[in-house]
Amino acid sequence: FSLPFRLKDQQWQLGVRGPVQLRIGEITNQFAMKDIRADLQGYYPWSEAQPLTLQAVSMALLGGEVTLPALRLPQHQAATLSLRDISLSKLVTALKPKQFAMSGRINGELPLWVNNPRWLVQNGWIANSGSLTFRMDKDMADAITAGNVAAGAAMDWLRYMEISRSWATLDLDNLGNLAMQAQVQGVSRFSNRKQTVNLNYRHQQNLFQLWRSLRFGDNLQSWVEQNATLPTKRDQQP
């Protein structure tokens, strides 16, 4: 850690001849973050004439890499946080949900806002990098289908899936409300049967509450139970 600075008239100048440099070998919490690098240079409080810039941010995370080329304050355009080859199996292992398992890798880009009046992330996207697999816990699937024929039909498709293409767009506002729309294409295998699956999925969730609870499996089970239903005859009438 190197912190060259000046303090004059209650304003900090960070990085006088070169940027403030942060280098961390590893941080281990819910999952490990390695080779953390970040450079900071500019003024605090910042202004248009004397901005503050965070740049060259990178870290190894979940078998892949997270990078942020530059974030300038005051901010006039989104700073793009890039995800490359993030391992879903490592993520699921870290979160330890009992109801499902996933494997494969994903890429993504999340345009970040720091002082936007509404958005934290706007027009972000996540997509698969190669094939993905999804396996639902047998006890969870059986519990959902026990008293619901329509849910049982849906569960047969979702017990085990090989996903060839997945694409999701997402927005996150300042209150933590996440809106995600996803398209999934793949093949379901169950009881020696093979079936093509095309799934269009929309999800809304308060991400701050979800992160605090870390009960991803319970939220998934609740959503499936509420949404895996067939339309009634009344709904089918024109």
Side-chain angles (χ1 to χ4, degrees):
F1 183 74
S2 174
L3 179 58
F5 71 92
R6 288 176 180 165
L7 178 61
K8 182 180 180 181
D9 297 331
Q10 298 183 337
Q11 185 183 49
W12 296 79
Q13 181 184 359
L14 304 174
V16 179
R17 296 182 177 85
V20 176
Q21 296 182 333
L22 178 65
R23 305 290 186 264
I24 300 176
E26 182 175 359
I27 296 177
T28 301
N29 192 357
Q30 192 78 16
F31 37 75
M33 296 175 285
K34 300 181 180 180
D35 301 326
I36 302 170
R37 304 172 65 89
D39 294 345
L40 184 67
Q41 191 167 22
Y43 294 84
Y44 182 85
W46 57 77
S47 65
E48 290 291 350
Q50 297 176 319
L52 178 66
T53 302
L54 176 66
Q55 59 190 0
V57 177
S58 65
M59 69 178 72
L61 177 69
L62 298 171
E65 185 180 31
V66 177
T67 59
L68 180 69
L71 169 61
R72 180 188 182 276
L73 299 172
Q75 188 177 17
H76 298 294
Q77 61 184 20
T80 302
L81 181 70
S82 297
L83 313 175
R84 292 292 178 266
D85 290 328
I86 300 299
S87 170
L88 289 178
S89 61
K90 291 181 180 292
L91 177 62
V92 170
T93 298
L95 298 178
K96 300 178 182 179
K98 298 179 181 179
Q99 292 86 348
F100 65 92
M102 296 188 71
S103 64
R105 294 181 180 270
I106 59 171
N107 297 327
E109 290 187 351
L110 306 177
L112 299 180
W113 290 98
V114 174
N115 55 0
N116 188 281
R118 181 179 179 185
W119 299 110
L120 294 177
V121 175
Q122 186 180 21
N123 298 326
W125 64 267
I126 296 175
N128 60 306
S129 175
S131 61
L132 308 178
T133 61
F134 174 86
R135 185 188 300 274
M136 184 174 293
D137 178 73
K138 181 179 182 301
D139 292 339
M140 173 184 170
D142 291 344
I144 294 174
T145 61
N148 191 323
V149 175
M155 288 303 97
D156 286 350
W157 298 351
L158 298 177
R159 287 175 187 264
Y160 178 78
M161 283 185 60
E162 297 173 355
I163 301 170
S164 58
R165 182 183 185 276
S166 64
W167 178 272
T169 59
L170 57 91
D171 297 298
L172 178 65
D173 68 18
N174 292 329
L175 300 178
N177 297 312
L178 173 72
M180 181 179 70
Q181 296 189 65
Q183 295 179 338
V184 177
Q185 298 175 1
V187 174
S188 170
R189 302 179 186 275
F190 178 68
S191 297
N192 296 322
R193 290 180 294 165
K194 180 178 178 180
Q195 182 166 345
T196 300
V197 176
N198 293 303
L199 178 64
N200 293 309
Y201 171 60
R202 178 175 175 83
H203 184 71
Q204 292 181 304
Q205 178 83 48
N206 188 284
L207 193 63
F208 297 162
Q209 295 177 0
L210 182 63
W211 184 257
R212 284 194 295 267
S213 66
L214 285 180
R215 296 174 61 188
F216 293 91
D218 290 345
N219 284 286
L220 173 65
Q221 180 173 342
S222 176
W223 181 88
V224 171
E225 289 177 336
Q226 294 175 14
N227 291 276
T229 57
L230 293 176
T232 64
K233 292 182 179 180
R234 180 179 301 175
D235 295 330
Q236 294 173 349
Q237 293 176 355

